[in-house]
Amino acid sequence: MTNSARPHHSRTTSALISGAGIAGTALAYWLERYGFRVTVVERAPEPRAGGQAVDVRGSALHVVERMGLLQDVQARKTGLRGMSQVDADGRELRRTTERTLSGGPIDSPDVEILRDELCTLLRRAAGPGVEYLFGDSMDSLVQHQDGVQVRFTSGAERSFDLVVGADGLHSATRRLVFGPESDYLHSTGTHIAAWSAPNHLGLDRWEVFHGPGGDGVWGCMAMTVRDNAELRVFVGFHSDEPTERLLPRDTTEQKRLIAERCAGLRWEVPRFLKAMWETDAFHYDVVAQIRMGHWSRGRVALLGDAGYCPSPLTGQGTSVALTAAYVLAGELHAADGDHLAAYPAYEERLRDHVTANQALLDVGRSLTDTGDAGSETDGGADSAPAGAAGFEEPAPETMAAFLAATAFDLPDY
């Protein structure tokens, strides 16, 4: 492992990263370490709170280890001890201390951690050398031979050598450079909401699932987070309606949609829905993949979900993003900031890895259709519970596909 700190390049390369999520903050860390001048623009007015539990596994564990963050990440894991399934009256139907729907096998080396806590660790590790522009976003960009002229929604204009879109499934960078989202987004028809609620159940490092709810609603899951101080609640439903009809931009409308879809669920769901209206820590979106033939155009590249979202159902979005950020920064470092060399090398190194992880979605579907396994495929994080099937040991086909997808030999830069 080389990863020399802050080398002296022939010139200082400036890079604008759109998005202060996991992918963007990880890339900022590595680029700053390699001597780039890094600016991160984030639409939210401050670092986003809340969010779902995500997994760090496989090659991503080695990435955070090379960042010196492995112990900190492990110290903040959710630490769940197991899970239960309950009926509409709260009676326990089954339980296990071997695995959870959100995090997989309890004895796994994988780390389940809240998204905002991981982002905080990454941002602090990058240090004060990274410039953050919160409450702003790219309004337009024009590529020139010597750089990219960016106009922000605030009205400011600046020029950068490179631009990287790490702005998620609905990437504005992708839309500005590659065209409309509809050309690349492939919906599964499933929609998921997550929010924070008080731990009024008194759960101790535990996860509970109730469902399905009928009319396409797969149910409700609640898990303890932050040392049992609160719950993270998840609900999901499937619909064949056009995606745009089920993605209102207004948060109030999103909550109203979830309340209507989950009105038939019993157990503690009515109390969870009441808490939903009282919290700002709420997220709702479609479960989808982004599929593109290329992840760069000129001086602009895409990273993570913006370019190749594998979907939450694969449980691999976070790990792929961390690995990809390491590779993209490393290739830019190796090429002395030359995007003409670095971007193709980035795509070549990662394409098979991304393809294998996206294929986990189809593996999970086929096994679920035959009743052999839950839709979480690997039993892993970021995944939407499919029901009691998640209590079963994953089928050999699932594990084989998962191990093949997570295998990636990190290069040294």
Side-chain angles (χ1 to χ4, degrees):
M1 178 175 69
T2 55
N3 299 111
S4 57
R6 295 176 175 80
H8 295 288
H9 289 166
S10 57
R11 60 182 294 272
T12 301
T13 302
S14 61
L16 173 67
I17 302 170
S18 177
I22 292 169
T25 49
L27 180 65
Y29 168 91
W30 287 110
L31 288 181
E32 197 277 337
R33 177 184 176 90
Y34 292 140
F36 289 69
R37 189 167 68 253
V38 183
T39 299
V40 179
V41 62
E42 167 58 48
R43 180 179 56 186
E46 58 188 10
R48 296 178 186 268
Q52 71 275 24
V54 298
D55 275 344
V56 182
R57 55 160 64 97
S59 57
L61 285 170
H62 299 297
V63 171
V64 297
E65 183 177 26
R66 294 186 183 190
M67 300 172 86
L69 291 176
L70 183 57
Q71 289 186 343
D72 289 332
V73 168
Q74 291 174 329
R76 287 163 177 79
K77 64 183 180 181
T78 58
L80 296 179
R81 300 181 296 109
M83 64 176 176
S84 303
Q85 182 186 16
V86 298
D87 65 12
D89 296 316
R91 291 188 294 262
E92 187 172 277
L93 302 176
R94 60 168 72 187
R95 68 164 38 213
T96 179
T97 55
E98 295 183 359
R99 58 193 306 104
T100 63
L101 283 164
S102 65
I106 298 295
D107 60 358
S108 168
D110 305 342
V111 177
E112 184 182 48
I113 182 173
L114 289 179
R115 177 187 180 278
D116 59 343
E117 294 190 353
L118 179 57
C119 284
T120 297
L121 290 174
L122 295 170
R123 190 171 61 253
R124 288 175 179 171
V130 176
E131 176 189 20
Y132 285 91
L133 305 176
F134 285 101
D136 210 346
S137 60
M138 287 194 297
D139 184 63
S140 65
L141 60 83
V142 179
Q143 300 198 56
H144 300 288
Q145 182 176 352
D146 298 327
V148 184
Q149 188 71 20
V150 176
R151 181 178 180 84
F152 296 96
T153 54
S154 63
E157 291 192 26
R158 291 174 60 176
S159 182
F160 299 89
D161 295 313
L162 306 170
V163 173
V164 177
D167 40 358
L169 181 67
H170 305 293
S171 169
T173 310
R174 185 182 62 238
R175 175 178 50 80
L176 289 171
V177 178
F178 294 88
E181 179 176 288
S182 58
D183 290 347
Y184 309 106
L185 187 143
H186 297 262
S187 171
T188 66
T190 294
H191 299 71
I192 295 178
W195 65 90
S196 177
N199 185 9
H200 63 263
L201 299 177
L203 298 178
D204 179 16
R205 293 178 295 152
W206 201 258
E207 189 171 86
V208 184
F209 174 72
H210 165 61
D215 294 328
V217 179
W218 53 249
C220 174
M221 184 187 79
M223 59 181 287
T224 56
V225 296
R226 306 195 199 285
D227 294 327
N228 300 324
E230 61 183 90
L231 298 177
R232 198 64 87 236
V233 178
F234 301 83
V235 298
F237 66 90
H238 183 87
S239 174
D240 293 327
E241 297 177 57
T243 301
E244 57 271 15
R245 293 184 185 176
L246 297 174
L247 286 180
R249 297 176 62 90
D250 181 70
T251 301
T252 299
E253 290 302 315
Q254 293 176 359
K255 290 183 177 182
R256 183 175 291 113
L257 175 63
I258 292 300
E260 292 173 353
R261 296 278 174 164
C262 297
L265 287 172
R266 293 172 55 189
W267 180 47
E268 297 287 335
V269 176
R271 292 180 70 179
F272 293 153
L273 291 174
K274 182 177 183 295
M276 177 187 72
W277 288 106
E278 298 170 350
T279 182
D280 293 328
F282 172 85
H283 175 76
Y284 166 75
D285 211 340
V286 64
V287 175
Q289 290 189 337
I290 296 295
R291 303 174 195 163
M292 305 182 70
H294 295 283
W295 306 329
S296 65
R297 181 168 291 172
R299 293 176 174 270
V300 181
L302 300 176
L303 174 68
D305 284 357
Y308 36 85
C309 177
S311 101
L313 297 183
T314 68
Q316 280 295 96
T318 295
S319 293
V320 169
L322 287 168
T323 300
Y326 173 86
V327 171
L328 176 55
E331 294 297 340
L332 284 167
H333 166 50
D336 198 18
D338 180 7
H339 65 285
L340 295 177
Y343 287 171
Y346 156 64
E347 294 198 29
E348 182 178 0
R349 280 196 184 273
L350 280 172
R351 177 64 68 172
D352 289 346
H353 183 60
V354 166
T355 300
N357 278 282
Q358 290 192 325
L360 289 175
L361 179 63
D362 292 328
V363 171
R365 280 173 170 170
S366 64
L367 292 172
T368 302
D369 290 343
T370 60
D372 291 333
S375 69
E376 76 233 30
T377 66
D378 59 324
D382 299 306
S383 56
F391 284 77
E392 308 299 334
E393 189 73 18
E397 297 93 331
T398 304
M399 292 308 302
F402 173 66
L403 292 174
T406 56
F408 184 82
D409 187 16
L410 285 180
D412 292 329
Y413 294 106

